[in-house]
Amino acid sequence: MTLSPARVPATAVRRLTRTLYGYAFLDDFVLLYPVYALLFADTGMSLWQISSLFALWSVTSVVLEVPSGAWADAMSRRRLLWIGPLLTAAGFALWVVVPSYGAFAAGFVLWGAGGALGSGALEALVYDELDRLGAADRYARVTGRARAARLLGTVAATGLAGPVLARGGFEAVGAASFLACVLTALIATRFPEHRVRPESTGDPWATTLRTGLAEARGNSAVRGALLLIPAVAAVWGALDEYTPLLIRDLGVAEATVPYLVMLIWAGVTLGSLLTGPAERLGTTGLAVLLAGAALALAVGAMARSLAGAVLVSLAFAGFQLAEVLADVRLQHRIDESRRATLTSVASLGTELATVATFGVYALLGTDLAHSTVFAVLAVPYLVTALALARARAATVRP
């Protein structure tokens, strides 16, 4: 049977998206996610030490983020996508074999390096493969579903974390997380990659890096899209790390914490699935979305109840949706040859803002309850919403 021209791209798109969804699910199917803050606390780490570990994680990503994006534009993106999970697996193994501050720090360095290798490379590979197949207009829907697959992986891992922790302790949770990372690496080897890489034309990664940064400086549309991503992604990404501590303050049993974390991330999954319809939101709609999510976060955190946890879930759903929409805006504005580099520049901004958020959280958390800190950190989103509204008003002003 001979496939029609329309059939061939459709088949190739399905292969790409299935691989992407499988990769995304397994990459976040990590049972340590909802409980590693508890592991640190049970090992005797103070809030400052825990925050320093989170900051080290982000600093590692900061150092490697942009160079790894340039590597992804200068060499095989698929290769980076399978190396990264193996580094993360090694970090998780350290955590459960020799639990200590030094092992936790080394594990976060490995995890940060693994995440940096995939950051930018995955988005660039998927967008360019879709573009090659004439399906670039599907990127928003595909990336939204991929994030939903990630969140389903998180939710599934969170649901299993409680029983596995109760039966086998942190050692069993760590072993399951290690296996998930290895499977992620295996799935990554199945990604298609057809672009002609710059290395074949003698264009080194340093040149790619310079030209990518030059585009960011010289193009105001690209620069605005780059700045929007950290403004949307950083704060709630940092707050995610403290969510188990916020929930434990409700007075629930420790074994119940993963289930309430799962409730929050179920809402985030729903936010990812709304990406396709929400792509029609303009700048004003995005501003309203951010403002509403900020209010839900503040009210939900201060409620300190199960109903408040539902509001926090809705807030995270709004932030996730806004983050995907910001990424879609960026991908539509940048050139293929510098796609991974500029995506990594946006991620670098996110990591820097995340490190700052960890520091602010540690300072505020010394004297304030977790619920109060969450409410205070909703304010930056109101500021971003106001900035978007004013930018939209400036564009329509005669």
Side-chain angles (χ1 to χ4, degrees), residues 268-289:
V268 181
T269 304
L270 178 62
S272 292
L273 292 174
L274 293 174
T275 302
E279 191 178 10
R280 294 190 292 270
L281 285 177
T283 302
T284 301
L286 185 57
V288 171
L289 174 65

Side-chain angles (χ1 to χ4, degrees), residues 189-205:
T189 63
R190 296 183 54 81
F191 273 116
E193 187 175 25
H194 295 89
R195 73 188 182 100
V196 178
R197 297 190 293 274
E199 61 182 2
S200 65
T201 60
D203 186 16
W205 75 268

Side-chain angles (χ1 to χ4, degrees), residues 174-326:
S177 302
F178 177 90
L179 178 61
C181 291
V182 173
L183 291 175
T184 303
L186 289 175
I187 290 291
T189 63
R190 296 183 54 81
F191 273 116
E193 187 175 25
H194 295 89
R195 73 188 182 100
V196 178
R197 297 190 293 274
E199 61 182 2
S200 65
T201 60
D203 186 16
W205 75 268
T207 300
T208 303
L209 177 59
R210 286 195 299 268
T211 55
L213 294 177
E215 181 176 351
R217 290 193 300 268
N219 188 319
S220 60
V222 171
R223 188 167 59 250
L226 286 172
L227 292 173
L228 181 60
I229 290 179
V232 171
V235 174
W236 86 275
L239 291 179
D240 164 45
E241 307 303 331
Y242 298 97
T243 301
L245 301 177
L246 174 72
I247 291 174
R248 187 159 66 175
D249 277 0
L250 298 178
V252 300
E254 191 164 285
T256 306
V257 171
Y259 297 108
L260 291 180
V261 172
M262 182 169 62
L263 169 66
I264 290 177
W265 283 96
V268 181
T269 304
L270 178 62
S272 292
L273 292 174
L274 293 174
T275 302
E279 191 178 10
R280 294 190 292 270
L281 285 177
T283 302
T284 301
L286 185 57
V288 171
L289 174 65
L290 285 173
L295 292 174
L297 177 63
V299 173
M302 293 302 294
R304 303 185 70 171
S305 64
L306 293 180
V310 173
L311 283 176
V312 172
S313 175
L314 291 175
F316 277 24
F319 296 143
Q320 170 72 1
L321 176 57
E323 183 179 340
V324 175
L325 294 177

